[in-house]
Amino acid sequence: NLSSSASAALLNTGSATAAAALSGITSNNKAANDILAMIERNQRAAGKRQLVSGSHLVLEPTPINLQKVMSQYQRKNNGGMIIPPAVLASWCHDMLSAILFCHSNHIVLRSLLPDQIHLDHSGTAKLSGLSKVMVLHGKDRTKEFDPLKFVRSKKGKSDYHHSTEDVEPFAAPELLLGGTRHTKETDMWAFGALLANILLGKQLFPGKDRVSKMTQVFKIVGVPDKDNYERAKRFPFYSNNMYVIGEEGKKKKYSRGVEKATRHMLKAFVAGTNGGDHHHQPFDHECFSGLISLIDSLLHLDPKRRMTADGALRHQYMVNHIARVERQEFRKEYVRDWLDLKENVLTKGRRKTMSPPISMMEQLQGSESTPPTNMHGRNGGDSMTEKELKRKAFLIGASTPGGSGGADDGDDLYNLDDLLGDSGPDISSLSLKKKPRYSGM
């Protein structure tokens, strides 16, 4: 008895001969018809197997996504923590490069959420979850869209006001107001809102439904008027309920103040943290001034005034970042901050129980010469301290060559040579090989 695959191969090889031999048999011969049907089925199956056994998509490991980072660093977790400036600038460059690539090829993302952005072992941010993307039709690639030409019907307008349907966390105002067409401009708004969320540890425009979100948008981006996209009032879901009502019952007319609001919220966020970074150094608000300016350029009520992906990569914040990447000092800072952040996320912040708060590298380097110290400063004997050191040793072992027992088994899945160089975990010799991929500067 041959296996089904072997039978299929034999039948497929001799299908022409078998068909010729059986062609003279009358059609009312059931056995002959069954054999012919089986030959056809096997031929189709063999063809499908050939297609499937062709190219395969292999992705490198990405142990962390941006949602995990934000969950660990957002405000509700022990006051929250600020993402290191070097790491955040690198992520911003990575995401902008990916968005520019898509937009240059007439692809609209339509959705940009933290769980769709993955971070590989070197800290590079990569977009995934592209199931919602839309490729622009040829005739739509050069003309400008008027959002008001693609809107929902006003029928059932009241039901949509407090509906959470299609209300994504970073949805653009024209979509919240009833627009149906996603564009490159809606992608750029989503990117700006996402950046603000990462920086501030919370959403810049919180809300559970269209009305509450648009109320927050109008408070920060400004209400529609002759100087601020007055056409927003013509969308089907625009409502006076989206305004904040003052003491005298009058609508408050907020003017545009994205940069001012972001700076104020960042200052409040930092006040609730231990200085804002992992090393308890004084926090410099100006290190994020360029990022705040970029966010301000992306979050405009008028879609036509939002900065494009190409323009954002030419923004001074990105220009300065690309220049800093060439400096060895910045590379060391990036590697140190990224490894510290990755450890904090993978261990869910348990390293905070260690005293004093030093980096994973420093802890492992000193573990051979210094006895383990528990949370109360006493030497030896603390089981939690030993567990933490073992966990850290496992993490650093998984991220460096020879980490599984010292023998090189040829598997470089978690090899960070390109990031750490050949010197191992000596923090003084760390060098970031990451180069800007955008050469159109």
Side-chain angles (χ1 to χ4, degrees), residues 26 34 105 117 156 182-183 194 197 237 278 285 308 349 356 364 393 400 402:
T26 57
D34 290 342
N105 288 277
I117 300 169
H182 291 78
T183 61
L194 174 62
N197 196 161
F237 299 155
H278 305 296
H285 291 79
T308 64
L364 291 174
T400 54

Side-chain angles (χ1 to χ4, degrees), residues 214-262:
M214 282 307 304
T215 301
Q216 296 299 321
V217 169
F218 287 160
K219 285 176 65 176
I220 294 176
V221 182
V223 298
D225 57 32
K226 62 180 181 179
D227 298 321
N228 191 35
Y229 198 51
E230 192 169 20
R231 300 180 79 226
K233 296 179 180 180
R234 295 165 56 185
F235 279 87
F237 299 155
Y238 172 82
S239 168
N240 288 330
N241 294 330
M242 295 175 176
Y243 288 81
V244 177
I245 306 300
E247 295 180 356
E248 300 179 357
K250 296 182 179 180
K251 296 183 296 184
K252 289 189 175 182
K253 295 184 178 180
Y254 290 95
S255 58
R256 177 175 171 78
V258 176
E259 190 167 344
K260 181 180 178 181
T262 306

Side-chain angles (χ1 to χ4, degrees), residues 71 85 95 139 233 293 309 357 374 439:
S71 297
M95 289 186 283
K139 64 180 181 180
K233 296 179 180 180
S293 174
N374 61 21
S439 58

Side-chain angles (χ1 to χ4, degrees), residues 273-292:
T273 67
N274 293 321
D277 66 2
H278 305 296
H279 306 289
H280 302 282
Q281 298 172 350
F283 180 77
D284 181 12
H285 291 79
E286 290 305 312
C287 63
F288 287 117
S289 60
L291 177 59
I292 293 174

